[in-house]
Amino acid sequence: AQKITQTQPGMFVQEKEAVTLDCTYDTSDQSYGLFWYKQPSSGEMIFLIYQGSYDEQNATEGRYSLNFQKARKSANLVISASQLGDSAMYFCAMRGVVTGGFKTIFGAGTRLFVKA
Amino acid sequence: EAGVAQSPRYKIIEKRQSVAFWCNPISGHATLYWYQQILGQGPKLLIQFQNNGVVDDSQLPKDRFSAERLKGVDSTLKIQPAKLEDSAVYLCASSLVPGGDEQYFGPGTRLTVT
């Protein structure tokens, strides 16, 4: 069975510092995708970054980078130079294969608080 | 490009009543998803459509939930009869292709069952 685990219910970071949000996953698929989404208090899910299981380089998108360690089955999100607007829920997700297509499962999320 | 549209944004009903949510995906997106997000949890996939066919509905409580995507465009999710535990945000998302790198989410419908 596929599973996503986010063990940090809440995290605090000082503005302008970097923060790492943890995500581990479990799957027997050889090909899969890993995602991070941000959900502000407004409720809308915002795509941040994607990493394919065969990608050798860690994905980066602006201030976001994904620290992908395949052997450890971890896909941590690193946010550099935190901003007050980064305060939100962050969800790790995995896309795996099901009969007839693909299926995405989400972790429970980590709430990030950025302090001024 | 217009985003994923959902309506209504908020709905309050009593238990045992019925309710329907509507979603219009981004134009051209073949895959449409309905998620249920209970407060404090991550989204849980209820049903996934590829055009107007169902790819996965393994977590849809079929005794009370139903969904359709006529003509492979917009979609309706219905709950009948509603239970207290159905109180949640119902998110609709779409992607260009089934294994697309990114799902685009709508603003969600917040359902409260009293």
Side-chain angles (χ1 to χ4, degrees), chain B residues 78-94:
Chain B
K78 296 180 181 178
I79 308 175
Q80 181 179 13
K83 293 185 175 182
L84 295 176
E85 58 261 36
D86 298 331
S87 294
V89 176
Y90 290 84
L91 295 165
C92 179
S94 69

Side-chain angles (χ1 to χ4, degrees), chain B residues 43-57:
Chain B
K44 180 182 82 171
L45 179 69
L46 292 177
I47 189 166
Q48 177 180 334
F49 291 95
Q50 174 64 20
N51 295 311
N52 60 352
V54 176
V55 172
D56 179 42
D57 62 356

Side-chain angles (χ1 to χ4, degrees), chain B:
Chain B
E1 178 182 80
V4 177
Q6 288 188 249
S7 67
R9 292 294 312 276
Y10 305 92
K11 190 73 176 179
I12 301 174
I13 61 172
E14 295 181 351
K15 59 183 179 183
R16 291 188 289 273
Q17 287 186 325
S18 63
V19 65
F21 312 129
W22 174 81
C23 172
N24 191 24
I26 292 174
S27 178
H29 281 199
T31 309
L32 185 147
Y33 315 78
W34 282 103
Y35 291 90
Q36 180 193 57
Q37 186 177 20
I38 293 172
L39 187 64
Q41 299 181 17
K44 180 182 82 171
L45 179 69
L46 292 177
I47 189 166
Q48 177 180 334
F49 291 95
Q50 174 64 20
N51 295 311
N52 60 352
V54 176
V55 172
D56 179 42
D57 62 356
S58 57
Q59 298 192 94
L60 186 74
K62 297 180 186 64
D63 58 334
R64 298 183 301 105
F65 285 64
S66 65
E68 60 182 8
R69 190 183 185 196
L70 299 176
K71 301 181 181 179
V73 182
D74 55 353
S75 176
T76 303
L77 176 69
K78 296 180 181 178
I79 308 175
Q80 181 179 13
K83 293 185 175 182
L84 295 176
E85 58 261 36
D86 298 331
S87 294
V89 176
Y90 290 84
L91 295 165
C92 179
S94 69
S95 62
L96 186 60
V97 294
D101 292 351
E102 179 179 352
Q103 293 180 25
Y104 296 82
F105 283 80
T109 296
R110 183 177 297 277
L111 173 67
T112 302
V113 182
T114 63

